[in-house]
Amino acid sequence: LERAAAGADAVGDALWRVRKFAAASTRSSLLAVIHAESGRFDDALTAFSVMESTTYSTSSAWLKAWLLAAAGRDHEAAAALASFDAPLGDDWYRTPLIVAAVLAAAEIGDTDFLGRHLGELTPVADRFVCLGSGGIVLGPVAHALARGHHALGEIDEARTRAVQALDLS
């Protein structure tokens, strides 16, 4: 993870030369995941706070919810999920954002959120999710579907999606 953090710095430096608009957010997002994987959730949230000054500040609440849920901060994760529920454009950002939100909702047991959004992932169940150029990797969409269906008590569908996610991985 220390090498990964150095890699995040290198990516950030490289992006300042070619994609300035994404340099800070990509670096901070990568560091947020690295810190979360290290169990350093306060550091992860501090790194992620850079997103609050971007054009994605409102919708990035779903990514923040994912980090908060992983940290076991269920009430804060629920508030982050609830703070954004606008329609998303059909672009590169939609699937990663919904996957992060579904993973958070499944972790905290927000079945209402899952009921509204889980089905949106079904058509892309066979894909892997990466947010941006070199950004956060959320794994197979089928994994998020498995977690969501499990949280809804739909065990057979959860099992099917878990097998699909394993096969994809």
Side-chain angles (χ1 to χ4, degrees):
L1 291 174
E2 289 175 22
R3 285 193 342 244
D9 288 337
V11 166
D13 291 344
L15 286 174
W16 277 114
R17 290 191 299 275
V18 295
R19 298 188 70 181
K20 287 182 175 69
F21 66 92
S25 60
T26 298
R27 179 184 177 276
S28 66
S29 297
L30 289 170
L31 288 174
V33 172
I34 292 164
H35 293 321
E37 290 291 331
S38 302
R40 297 171 33 212
F41 290 103
D42 288 336
D43 291 339
L45 291 164
T46 298
F48 190 77
S49 68
V50 169
M51 293 299 292
E52 294 167 1
S53 65
T54 71
T55 57
Y56 301 106
S57 61
T58 307
S59 57
S60 71
W62 283 0
L63 289 163
K64 185 175 184 179
W66 172 64
L67 288 169
L68 289 163
R73 293 162 67 169
D74 294 2
H75 294 296
E76 291 173 79
L81 277 179
S83 73
F84 175 78
D85 208 2
L88 292 165
D90 188 15
D91 61 13
W92 66 273
Y93 189 56
R94 179 184 177 84
T95 299
L97 205 62
I98 295 170
V99 165
V102 161
L103 289 170
E107 183 69 27
I108 65 173
D110 188 338
T111 56
D112 290 337
F113 185 95
L114 292 170
R116 288 192 311 275
H117 296 285
L118 190 61
E120 296 176 61
L121 296 178
T122 303
V124 292
D126 62 342
R127 298 187 186 159
F128 263 74
V129 179
C130 179
L131 187 61
S133 353
I136 298 172
V137 176
L138 295 164
V141 173
H143 174 251
L145 284 164
R147 297 284 311 274
H149 285 293
H150 185 266
L152 292 172
E154 299 167 355
I155 303 307
D156 290 338
E157 184 64 17
R159 186 174 291 116
T160 298
R161 294 303 182 177
V163 169
Q164 182 184 18
L166 184 59
D167 289 346
L168 287 166
S169 295

